[in-house]
Amino acid sequence: MPVEKVCVVGMGPGAEDYLIPLARKKIEEADVLVGSPRLTGLFPGKEARGLDFSGEPPTTVSYILENRQRKRIAVLVSGDPGLYSFLGVLARYLRPEEYEIVPGISSVQLAFARLKESWEDAFIHSVHGRKLDGLIEVVKQHPKVALLTDGRLSPREIALYLRAGGIEDREMVVCSDLSYPGERVTRLDMEAAGPQAEDKGNYVMIIRGKRSC
Ligand SMILES: C[S@@+](CC[C@H](N)C(=O)[O-])C[C@H]1O[C@@H](n2cnc3c(N)ncnc32)[C@H](O)[C@@H]1O
């Protein structure tokens, strides 16, 4: 029996308009979708499994390894698979010829599109599931940082941490719920005042030198 390649599909930042046609095709062809209920739930007719990181290998990886020869499996990840996604785990257990990747539009891409700026000079950093340790050095070393967060930290908490580390001369742009109807792009200074600075939701923060306009 031919072995199907596991397909890791980048789902973009959220709204369906940002899902590329090839991603939709791979999802339609799949027998089972693996991913968070937020992503798999977009395709209600499909068999779906959530993510379980417990165990070694993680339970979800074991499921994929055991079933990939008889089922076409699409693993759905938010944004682009190459940026802080489950691909990092999966690639430790599959050989390159055993999987393929469909790129997605990253939250970082969309954040810079909203800012109407290029981002080849941006340093991408994540505090998703990690402590803030190291962020001060990253911000001191890089004039433009795109920071991925995880819903635990508000922009104000990040600003306070940076100020305690001696960083005062930066602007922070908080890009929340990108592509969704409630999308917000808010510029904050290091005082990080105002209700939006308290929001611990789904956001990318761009930290950069202050601009004159
Ligand atoms: C585990 S990382 C995955 C990043 C993803 N692979 C990408 O390319 O965007 C999840 C983080 O990405 C950011 N993110 C993902 N979708 C977002 C959205 N629609 N709006 C704002 N930030 C988003 C948030 O910082 C979130 O906590």
Side-chain angles (χ1 to χ4, degrees), residues 13-14 78-81 83-85 105-108 128 147-151 175-180 202-204:
S78 75
D80 183 73
L83 196 64
Y84 297 106
S85 87
I105 295 173
S106 167
S107 56
V108 173
H128 200 278
L147 184 70
L148 299 171
T149 60
D150 67 357
C175 304
S176 303
D177 294 326
L178 289 163
S179 83
Y180 290 107
N202 194 27
Y203 66 89
V204 177

Short mmCIF file of all heavy atoms in Angstrom, two decimals, residues 13-14 78-81 83-85 105-108 128 147-151 175-180 202-204, ligand 1:
data_model
loop_
_atom_site.label_atom_id
_atom_site.label_comp_id
_atom_site.label_asym_id
_atom_site.label_seq_id
_atom_site.Cartn_x
_atom_site.Cartn_y
_atom_site.Cartn_z
N PRO A 13 -3.84 33.42 9.45
CA PRO A 13 -4.07 34.02 10.75
C PRO A 13 -5.45 33.76 11.35
O PRO A 13 -5.68 34.02 12.53
CB PRO A 13 -3.87 35.51 10.48
CG PRO A 13 -4.14 35.67 9.02
CD PRO A 13 -3.72 34.40 8.36
N GLY A 14 -6.38 33.28 10.55
CA GLY A 14 -7.68 32.97 11.15
C GLY A 14 -8.84 33.02 10.18
O GLY A 14 -9.48 32.00 9.94
N SER A 78 -1.87 27.09 12.86
CA SER A 78 -2.21 28.48 12.56
C SER A 78 -1.05 29.16 11.84
O SER A 78 0.11 28.76 11.96
CB SER A 78 -2.57 29.24 13.84
OG SER A 78 -1.40 29.54 14.56
N GLY A 79 -1.38 30.18 11.06
CA GLY A 79 -0.35 30.95 10.38
C GLY A 79 0.44 30.09 9.40
O GLY A 79 -0.11 29.33 8.62
N ASP A 80 1.76 30.22 9.47
CA ASP A 80 2.66 29.42 8.63
C ASP A 80 3.28 28.31 9.47
O ASP A 80 3.71 28.56 10.61
CB ASP A 80 3.77 30.30 8.04
CG ASP A 80 4.65 29.49 7.12
OD1 ASP A 80 4.19 29.16 6.01
OD2 ASP A 80 5.77 29.12 7.52
N PRO A 81 3.38 27.08 8.92
CA PRO A 81 3.95 25.98 9.70
C PRO A 81 5.41 26.23 10.12
O PRO A 81 5.86 25.68 11.12
CB PRO A 81 3.88 24.78 8.75
CG PRO A 81 2.79 25.12 7.78
CD PRO A 81 2.86 26.62 7.62
N LEU A 83 6.77 28.70 11.44
CA LEU A 83 6.99 29.70 12.49
C LEU A 83 6.30 29.22 13.78
O LEU A 83 5.08 29.34 13.92
CB LEU A 83 6.40 31.04 12.03
CG LEU A 83 6.82 32.28 12.79
CD1 LEU A 83 8.31 32.56 12.65
CD2 LEU A 83 6.02 33.48 12.31
N TYR A 84 7.08 28.67 14.67
CA TYR A 84 6.60 28.24 15.99
C TYR A 84 5.30 27.44 15.89
O TYR A 84 4.25 27.85 16.40
CB TYR A 84 6.38 29.46 16.90
CG TYR A 84 7.65 30.21 17.19
CD1 TYR A 84 7.91 31.44 16.58
CD2 TYR A 84 8.62 29.69 18.03
CE1 TYR A 84 9.08 32.12 16.83
CE2 TYR A 84 9.80 30.37 18.28
CZ TYR A 84 10.02 31.59 17.68
OH TYR A 84 11.18 32.25 17.93
N SER A 85 5.37 26.29 15.22
CA SER A 85 4.17 25.46 15.12
C SER A 85 4.48 24.01 15.51
O SER A 85 5.63 23.65 15.75
CB SER A 85 3.60 25.50 13.69
OG SER A 85 4.20 24.51 12.87
N ILE A 105 -0.25 32.11 5.49
CA ILE A 105 0.08 33.52 5.78
C ILE A 105 0.26 33.64 7.28
O ILE A 105 -0.62 33.31 8.07
CB ILE A 105 -1.04 34.45 5.27
CG1 ILE A 105 -1.10 34.35 3.75
CG2 ILE A 105 -0.79 35.88 5.73
CD1 ILE A 105 -2.26 35.08 3.12
N SER A 106 1.44 34.10 7.66
CA SER A 106 1.76 34.19 9.08
C SER A 106 1.13 35.42 9.72
O SER A 106 0.94 36.45 9.06
CB SER A 106 3.29 34.25 9.23
OG SER A 106 3.61 34.64 10.52
N SER A 107 0.92 35.33 11.02
CA SER A 107 0.45 36.51 11.77
C SER A 107 1.48 37.63 11.67
O SER A 107 1.11 38.81 11.65
CB SER A 107 0.19 36.14 13.23
OG SER A 107 1.34 35.58 13.82
N VAL A 108 2.75 37.27 11.58
CA VAL A 108 3.80 38.31 11.48
C VAL A 108 3.68 39.02 10.13
O VAL A 108 3.75 40.26 10.05
CB VAL A 108 5.20 37.68 11.66
CG1 VAL A 108 6.29 38.71 11.39
CG2 VAL A 108 5.34 37.09 13.06
N HIS A 128 5.82 32.52 23.54
CA HIS A 128 4.72 31.57 23.62
C HIS A 128 5.14 30.40 24.49
O HIS A 128 6.05 29.66 24.14
CB HIS A 128 4.38 31.08 22.20
CG HIS A 128 3.02 30.50 22.07
ND1 HIS A 128 2.73 29.21 22.41
CD2 HIS A 128 1.85 31.03 21.66
CE1 HIS A 128 1.45 28.98 22.20
NE2 HIS A 128 0.89 30.06 21.74
N LEU A 147 7.14 40.14 18.12
CA LEU A 147 7.05 39.26 19.28
C LEU A 147 5.73 38.48 19.27
O LEU A 147 4.65 39.08 19.24
CB LEU A 147 7.13 40.11 20.56
CG LEU A 147 7.14 39.34 21.87
CD1 LEU A 147 8.46 38.59 22.03
CD2 LEU A 147 6.95 40.30 23.06
N LEU A 148 5.83 37.15 19.28
CA LEU A 148 4.65 36.30 19.40
C LEU A 148 4.40 36.03 20.87
O LEU A 148 5.35 35.72 21.61
CB LEU A 148 4.86 34.99 18.64
CG LEU A 148 5.10 35.12 17.14
CD1 LEU A 148 5.51 33.79 16.55
CD2 LEU A 148 3.85 35.62 16.45
N THR A 149 3.16 36.12 21.28
CA THR A 149 2.83 35.94 22.70
C THR A 149 1.88 34.75 22.81
O THR A 149 1.66 34.03 21.85
CB THR A 149 2.20 37.22 23.24
OG1 THR A 149 1.01 37.48 22.49
CG2 THR A 149 3.15 38.39 23.13
N ASP A 150 1.31 34.54 24.01
CA ASP A 150 0.45 33.36 24.13
C ASP A 150 -0.77 33.55 25.03
O ASP A 150 -1.31 32.58 25.55
CB ASP A 150 1.26 32.17 24.62
CG ASP A 150 1.73 32.37 26.04
OD1 ASP A 150 1.47 33.45 26.61
OD2 ASP A 150 2.34 31.45 26.59
N GLY A 151 -1.19 34.77 25.20
CA GLY A 151 -2.40 34.99 25.98
C GLY A 151 -2.16 35.05 27.48
O GLY A 151 -3.08 35.27 28.25
N CYS A 175 -0.91 44.13 17.59
CA CYS A 175 -1.79 43.72 16.49
C CYS A 175 -2.60 42.52 16.97
O CYS A 175 -2.09 41.40 17.07
CB CYS A 175 -0.94 43.33 15.28
SG CYS A 175 0.17 44.64 14.74
N SER A 176 -3.86 42.77 17.29
CA SER A 176 -4.69 41.76 17.95
C SER A 176 -5.73 41.18 17.00
O SER A 176 -6.31 41.90 16.19
CB SER A 176 -5.45 42.39 19.13
OG SER A 176 -4.57 42.97 20.04
N ASP A 177 -5.96 39.87 17.16
CA ASP A 177 -7.02 39.18 16.41
C ASP A 177 -6.98 39.51 14.92
O ASP A 177 -8.01 39.80 14.29
CB ASP A 177 -8.40 39.53 17.00
CG ASP A 177 -8.56 38.97 18.40
OD1 ASP A 177 -8.01 37.89 18.68
OD2 ASP A 177 -9.20 39.64 19.23
N LEU A 178 -5.79 39.45 14.36
CA LEU A 178 -5.60 39.81 12.96
C LEU A 178 -6.47 38.97 12.04
O LEU A 178 -6.58 37.75 12.24
CB LEU A 178 -4.13 39.64 12.58
CG LEU A 178 -3.18 40.66 13.20
CD1 LEU A 178 -1.73 40.17 13.11
CD2 LEU A 178 -3.33 42.02 12.54
N SER A 179 -7.08 39.61 11.09
CA SER A 179 -7.95 39.04 10.06
C SER A 179 -9.38 38.82 10.55
O SER A 179 -10.27 38.61 9.73
CB SER A 179 -7.39 37.73 9.46
OG SER A 179 -7.69 36.61 10.27
N TYR A 180 -9.61 38.85 11.84
CA TYR A 180 -10.96 38.66 12.37
C TYR A 180 -11.72 40.01 12.38
O TYR A 180 -11.09 41.08 12.35
CB TYR A 180 -10.90 38.11 13.80
CG TYR A 180 -10.41 36.69 13.87
CD1 TYR A 180 -9.14 36.39 14.34
CD2 TYR A 180 -11.23 35.63 13.46
CE1 TYR A 180 -8.68 35.07 14.41
CE2 TYR A 180 -10.78 34.32 13.52
CZ TYR A 180 -9.51 34.05 13.99
OH TYR A 180 -9.06 32.75 14.05
N ASN A 202 -5.04 37.29 21.74
CA ASN A 202 -4.21 36.76 20.67
C ASN A 202 -3.57 37.92 19.91
O ASN A 202 -4.23 38.58 19.12
CB ASN A 202 -5.14 35.96 19.74
CG ASN A 202 -4.38 35.08 18.79
OD1 ASN A 202 -3.26 34.67 19.07
ND2 ASN A 202 -4.99 34.80 17.65
N TYR A 203 -2.31 38.19 20.19
CA TYR A 203 -1.70 39.34 19.50
C TYR A 203 -0.23 39.11 19.18
O TYR A 203 0.45 38.30 19.79
CB TYR A 203 -1.86 40.63 20.34
CG TYR A 203 -1.12 40.66 21.66
CD1 TYR A 203 0.18 41.13 21.75
CD2 TYR A 203 -1.74 40.25 22.83
CE1 TYR A 203 0.85 41.18 22.96
CE2 TYR A 203 -1.09 40.29 24.05
CZ TYR A 203 0.21 40.76 24.11
OH TYR A 203 0.87 40.80 25.31
N VAL A 204 0.20 39.85 18.16
CA VAL A 204 1.62 39.98 17.82
C VAL A 204 2.00 41.40 18.20
O VAL A 204 1.26 42.33 17.93
CB VAL A 204 1.85 39.82 16.30
CG1 VAL A 204 3.31 40.04 15.94
CG2 VAL A 204 1.40 38.46 15.82
C1 LIG B 1 2.15 29.22 18.39
S1 LIG B 1 2.30 30.79 17.62
C2 LIG B 1 1.99 30.32 15.98
C3 LIG B 1 2.40 31.34 14.96
C4 LIG B 1 1.93 30.97 13.56
N1 LIG B 1 2.58 29.78 13.07
C5 LIG B 1 2.10 32.10 12.56
O1 LIG B 1 2.78 31.92 11.56
O2 LIG B 1 1.51 33.14 12.78
C6 LIG B 1 0.78 31.52 18.09
C7 LIG B 1 0.93 33.03 18.23
O3 LIG B 1 0.88 33.64 16.95
C8 LIG B 1 0.23 34.90 17.07
N2 LIG B 1 -1.00 34.88 16.28
C9 LIG B 1 -1.53 33.84 15.61
N3 LIG B 1 -2.66 34.21 14.99
C10 LIG B 1 -2.85 35.51 15.26
C11 LIG B 1 -3.84 36.48 14.90
N4 LIG B 1 -4.88 36.16 14.12
N5 LIG B 1 -3.72 37.73 15.36
C12 LIG B 1 -2.69 38.09 16.13
N6 LIG B 1 -1.71 37.23 16.52
C13 LIG B 1 -1.80 35.97 16.08
C14 LIG B 1 -0.05 35.11 18.54
O4 LIG B 1 1.09 35.75 19.11
C15 LIG B 1 -0.19 33.68 19.00
O5 LIG B 1 -0.07 33.56 20.39
#
